[in-house]
Amino acid sequence: MSLPIMSSFKKYRVGDKFKLDRCNPAATPFLEGTEAQQARQLDALAIELDKLQNLLHAAGQRKVLLVLQGMDTSGKDGTIRWVFSRTSPLGVRVAAFKAPTEEERARDFLWRCHAVVPRAGELTVWNRSHYEDVLVPVVEGWIDKAQTRRRYAQINDFERLLTETGTVIVKCMLHISPEVQRQRLQERVDTPGKQWKFSMGDLDVRKKWVPYQAAYEKALRATSTRDAPWYVIPADSKMHRNLMIARLLVKTLDRMDLRVPPSDPALEALVVT
Amino acid sequence: MSLPIMSSFKKYRVGDKFKLDRCNPAATPFLEGTEAQQARQLDALAIELDKLQNLLHAAGQRKVLLVLQGMDTSGKDGTIRWVFSRTSPLGVRVAAFKAPTEEERARDFLWRCHAVVPRAGELTVWNRSHYEDVLVPVVEGWIDKAQTRRRYAQINDFERLLTETGTVIVKCMLHISPEVQRQRLQERVDTPGKQWKFSMGDLDVRKKWVPYQAAYEKALRATSTRDAPWYVIPADSKMHRNLMIARLLVKTLDRMDLRVPPSDPALEALVVT
């Protein structure tokens, strides 16, 4: 598949001098063509991703972990639905992280994450992740700067363990504007069939938009490594968000140079009776 | 959606006098129309299943468990791929059961299954299941008749716990003929890209076809209950297998009469700022 606009990913990769407020959530660098063409592109990417995921499964050695983070309504669920619309649930697993339970809080913050890392041949999506633990506690003031820095280092160590043992990690921060969040929350409130997605707590978090953006900026800067980089995904446009993440994943799996295991000479003349 | 041929499910439901050899694996009672029409029917059912699964998720109370059992090449993986081609991995989870690990063998045989029952709002597919433990050990002679009967009862008790706590269980035995298995195994052997799916152990199991069919017959008869019935799915035809299971699932979820939670009056005049 031709992927002409591949080169611009680098611009969205988080580096040392990363500033979140310099990223425009309304940007659409990966959108081109008409809406119908975009829908076809997304479907083609989803089909390509299915092929690559089958190869990952057949090869049976490596693992892929996609981490999705973002404010409420930034589109984590929608991304999963559309990017993985053509893959089989056999090889794609989703783990959703909610507020930690008592059992989880009784262990270190990486415990519940480690329990659901992808197994050989699997692609796993984390819908929220261990990064919640350097966002909520920071904004709420439950941990101080030294503790936060220690968690960044613990996260980097943990992710290094995963990458050194065959996991490719892709981390995406779904970046939306506060105005788009307002619209999407209002839509949930106003639509009876969507009200179940809304909780009053969402408004409390929304009021802390600025400190959350600051916590994101620091966390992303401290944990975007060569082997487990962060990408900021402009996500005011749902189609842009989907296309950019789908392309990023296809590119990532393409580069893994996955192959089915070689033919077994012992099977050459085997006749099943 | 009109489901004109619904009434014949009963015939494939396992009862007290069930005889597996009276079921024709080549039967296609749920096939009608041309191949193109069948593909469209399957896609329509997969889309319907997606809608119902979203409702299950939104309602957030009940759970659905689909158990898939069958000999090698009977199409468990293919069923998952095609029946769930339109659902999001957000709400559909697959648990695959292989030969038990040492950790698993150190507990009762239901331990590893209980760990992966669907949570509220979820549809979970078991690719093989606790039924392996009344098949392999029976054929291999590792457990005697009394132990086997005790396991049947333990399975029924376990499944009753699940159904009494909100889980709808659908159990499908994918029934193929030995000749179709021969063809499919030979195809795996002969196709370099499919060899990774084949293991020499598959041939050993194939040699025990008759005792496996007997073990299936006894197990299904002993564990097909009102709340957790077994269905025998004629599966020589892949399209028939997919259509029959998709219809069965759609019918099952339809009957659950799922609804999104009622509107919250507190949200009526809420304006997000």
Side-chain angles (χ1 to χ4, degrees), chain A residues 247-261:
Chain A
R247 277 180 186 275
L248 180 59
L249 270 181
V250 165
K251 184 187 168 198
T252 303
L253 275 96
D254 253 339
R255 286 205 173 162
M256 290 171 74
D257 196 23
L258 298 160
R259 290 153 199 267
V260 290

Side-chain angles (χ1 to χ4, degrees), chain B residues 3-219:
Chain B
L3 300 169
I5 44 183
M6 263 313 89
S7 57
S8 46
F9 272 118
K10 210 175 165 189
K11 201 180 144 193
Y12 294 89
R13 191 169 161 150
V14 173
D16 293 340
K17 292 169 193 161
F18 170 67
K19 289 277 183 195
L20 186 53
D21 61 10
R22 290 212 197 120
C23 301
N24 177 8
T28 55
F30 289 83
L31 275 193
E32 54 180 19
T34 63
E35 276 183 32
Q37 285 171 325
Q38 291 162 8
R40 279 199 298 276
Q41 285 164 22
L42 181 58
D43 198 46
L45 285 162
I47 290 170
E48 185 68 17
L49 194 58
D50 177 46
K51 279 187 205 151
L52 289 163
Q53 188 273 313
N54 280 334
L55 262 181
L56 179 74
H57 179 64
Q61 301 291 323
R62 315 282 306 276
K63 308 107 178 175
V64 175
L65 175 61
L66 172 65
V67 174
L68 297 180
Q69 280 289 154
M71 300 295 282
D72 286 325
T73 76
S74 62
K76 299 177 289 292
D77 289 10
T79 299
I80 295 171
R81 164 164 289 273
W82 292 107
V83 172
F84 300 103
S85 65
R86 292 293 200 153
T87 42
S88 167
L90 272 175
V92 176
R93 192 171 292 275
V94 178
F97 295 93
K98 308 194 169 166
T101 64
E102 195 184 329
E103 275 300 304
E104 290 167 348
R105 276 183 284 116
R107 274 88 175 190
D108 67 87
F109 75 103
L110 294 169
W111 177 73
R112 64 175 183 163
C113 302
H114 211 157
V116 291
V117 295
R119 50 176 294 152
E122 236 178 37
L123 190 159
T124 293
V125 185
W126 286 358
N127 189 351
R128 304 188 186 268
S129 67
H130 47 318
Y131 286 96
E132 290 294 313
D133 294 288
V134 286
L135 295 168
V136 185
V138 169
V139 171
E140 299 295 338
W142 301 334
I143 60 176
D144 65 19
K145 282 191 177 174
Q147 286 170 305
T148 307
R149 273 198 302 272
R150 204 175 314 131
R151 285 199 180 180
Y152 294 155
Q154 288 161 342
I155 287 174
N156 287 337
D157 290 345
F158 172 62
E159 294 183 358
R160 192 180 320 107
L161 167 70
L162 299 185
T163 55
E164 285 179 353
T165 52
T167 304
V168 170
I169 304 180
V170 179
K171 301 183 289 195
C172 294
M173 191 265 188
L174 279 49
H175 187 39
I176 54 169
S177 63
E179 170 57 16
V180 160
Q181 189 193 52
R182 192 194 61 72
Q183 290 164 16
R184 292 183 185 171
L185 285 176
Q186 188 69 59
E187 198 198 341
R188 288 185 184 178
V189 166
D190 294 344
T191 316
K194 290 186 175 180
Q195 283 184 354
W196 63 275
K197 291 187 189 175
F198 177 83
S199 95
M200 290 306 253
D202 297 349
L203 298 184
D204 298 329
V205 176
R206 174 168 168 76
K207 285 189 191 118
K208 297 166 186 163
W209 185 274
V210 173
Y212 266 103
Q213 300 292 301
Y216 263 109
E217 181 175 280
K218 282 181 198 139

Side-chain angles (χ1 to χ4, degrees), chain A residues 18-203:
Chain A
F18 170 66
K19 289 279 183 194
L20 186 53
D21 61 9
R22 291 211 196 120
C23 301
N24 177 9
T28 56
F30 290 83
L31 274 193
E32 55 180 20
T34 64
E35 275 184 31
Q37 285 171 324
Q38 291 161 10
R40 280 198 299 274
Q41 285 164 23
L42 182 59
D43 197 45
L45 285 163
I47 290 170
E48 185 67 17
L49 193 59
D50 176 46
K51 280 187 204 150
L52 289 163
Q53 189 272 315
N54 280 334
L55 263 182
L56 179 75
H57 178 64
Q61 300 292 322
R62 314 282 307 277
K63 308 106 179 175
V64 176
L65 175 61
L66 172 66
V67 173
L68 297 180
Q69 280 288 155
M71 301 293 284
D72 286 326
T73 77
S74 62
K76 299 177 288 294
D77 289 10
T79 299
I80 294 169
R81 165 165 288 274
W82 293 108
V83 172
F84 299 103
S85 65
R86 293 292 200 152
T87 41
S88 166
L90 271 175
V92 176
R93 192 171 292 277
V94 179
F97 295 93
K98 308 197 171 164
T101 64
E102 195 183 330
E103 275 299 306
E104 290 167 347
R105 276 183 284 115
R107 274 87 173 191
D108 67 88
F109 74 102
L110 294 171
W111 177 73
R112 65 175 182 162
C113 302
H114 211 157
V116 290
V117 295
R119 52 177 292 151
E122 236 180 38
L123 191 159
T124 293
V125 185
W126 285 0
N127 190 351
R128 302 186 187 270
S129 66
H130 47 320
Y131 286 95
E132 290 293 312
D133 295 287
V134 286
L135 295 168
V136 185
V138 170
V139 171
E140 299 295 338
W142 299 334
I143 60 175
D144 65 20
K145 281 189 179 178
Q147 286 170 305
T148 307
R149 273 198 302 271
R150 204 175 312 133
R151 285 198 181 182
Y152 294 154
Q154 289 161 341
I155 287 175
N156 287 337
D157 291 344
F158 171 63
E159 293 183 358
R160 192 179 322 108
L161 167 71
L162 299 185
T163 55
E164 286 178 352
T165 51
T167 305
V168 169
I169 305 180
V170 179
K171 301 184 289 195
C172 294
M173 191 265 186
L174 279 49
H175 187 39
I176 55 168
S177 64
E179 170 56 19
V180 161
Q181 189 193 53
R182 190 195 61 72
Q183 290 164 16
R184 292 182 184 170
L185 285 176
Q186 188 69 59
E187 199 198 339
R188 287 184 184 178
V189 165
D190 293 345
T191 316
K194 291 187 176 181
Q195 283 184 352
W196 63 275
K197 292 186 189 177
F198 177 83
S199 95
M200 290 307 250
D202 297 347
L203 298 184

